[in-house]
Amino acid sequence: TYGICLLNKWMKLEDILINQPITKKQTDDISRIIYKIHKDKFHDIITELNKKLYFFISTTDFNPTIDVDEMVNMVDDNTEKLFKKLPDSNVELGYYINNALVDRCIQNMNHKSSLYRLYRSGSRMSKQQLARTCINVGYVADAKNVIVPDPICTNLMIGLDEDDYFKSSPGARKGLIDKADSTPQSGLNNIAPYVSNNIM
């Protein structure tokens, strides 16, 4: 395709080494190919490639636009009724049922839509992020990391009612606190040997 030809050209490749669409997981392969062929100009080529790709996606028809109506209407009436019947006595069974219903909603998406292509590319959203945003939140954990047996049967696009909001807030708060607590510690553990060796 036109985009693949441009990618090979912008990577300064004499032969066509990239011959298929690239997902986010394969971006490291592009860096390896450029480094293998152009070690001395690696940084310059990567910087220039980044600018050209950004310009390309910003100024052409390939710029994805997400249809909000599609996001709001991902769940049909029958699936919505099934979400509301998720069991609150058996969390494990409910999780599998919820997961199957989410898969059903994703399969029913328009496969040519920008939202579906963005999801499939792996560049911006995982299955769980797509589900929580457009389909349903499902089962959440509380502040003690115990699954709340009563699932949240709505999504963030439609909005949570008061009960659902307070159901999900302890787990969200715990996630923020855990991240804040653990991130500085891991950074300090990595830098401590370097600092102590240089001080000595």
Side-chain angles (χ1 to χ4, degrees):
T1 64
Y2 179 61
I4 288 175
C5 292
L6 277 179
L7 184 61
N8 282 274
K9 181 181 177 182
W10 291 341
M11 289 171 64
K12 311 287 186 193
L13 302 178
E14 294 180 5
D15 300 320
I16 296 177
L17 300 180
I18 306 294
N19 57 9
Q20 63 182 12
I22 301 296
T23 65
K24 185 178 181 182
K25 294 176 183 177
Q26 296 170 313
T27 51
D28 286 343
D29 296 336
I30 290 179
S31 299
R32 286 191 195 97
I33 290 170
I34 295 174
Y35 185 75
K36 187 175 181 181
I37 297 171
H38 304 288
K39 288 183 183 177
D40 53 338
K41 299 178 182 177
F42 174 73
H43 178 68
D44 294 335
I45 292 173
I46 286 286
T47 303
E48 188 179 344
L49 176 64
N50 183 43
K51 289 178 183 176
K52 285 181 176 176
L53 288 173
Y54 182 76
F55 178 79
F56 182 80
I57 199 69
S58 303
T59 59
T60 65
D61 294 336
F62 294 95
N63 187 14
T65 55
I66 306 301
D67 185 0
V68 176
D69 288 336
E70 181 188 7
M71 296 177 78
V72 172
N73 297 319
M74 276 186 68
V75 183
D76 59 28
D77 293 338
N78 291 332
T79 309
E80 190 173 351
K81 288 175 185 175
L82 291 173
F83 276 131
K84 289 180 179 175
K85 292 182 179 179
L86 285 172
D88 55 5
S89 57
N90 188 337
V91 173
E92 189 172 353
L93 175 64
Y95 173 81
Y96 286 114
I97 294 171
N98 183 68
N99 209 26
L101 292 172
V102 167
D103 287 340
R104 175 176 163 183
C105 290
I106 292 173
Q107 284 302 315
N108 289 339
M109 288 175 69
N110 177 5
H111 289 200
K112 294 183 179 179
S113 69
S114 295
L115 178 62
Y116 182 79
R117 285 187 287 133
L118 190 64
Y119 161 69
R120 289 295 296 166
S121 72
S123 61
R124 275 293 167 256
M125 63 182 77
S126 65
K127 177 181 167 182
Q128 185 180 26
Q129 289 169 331
L130 178 65
R132 287 180 176 235
T133 304
C134 310
I135 303 171
N136 86 323
V137 175
Y139 294 91
V140 295
D142 62 13
K144 296 180 181 177
N145 220 19
V146 176
I147 302 295
V148 178
D150 189 17
I152 298 173
C153 298
T154 185
N155 58 57
L156 301 177
M157 282 292 295
I158 295 172
L160 307 179
D161 60 22
E162 293 89 345
D163 291 339
D164 290 339
Y165 175 78
F166 284 106
K167 227 184 289 179
S168 65
S169 59
R173 188 166 61 248
K174 181 180 184 298
L176 292 171
I177 292 169
D178 287 348
K179 186 175 181 182
D181 285 347
S182 60
T183 304
Q185 290 173 1
S186 64
L188 287 174
N189 290 338
N190 289 336
I191 201 171
Y194 175 78
V195 172
S196 60
N197 287 339
N198 284 319
I199 290 174
M200 308 280 267

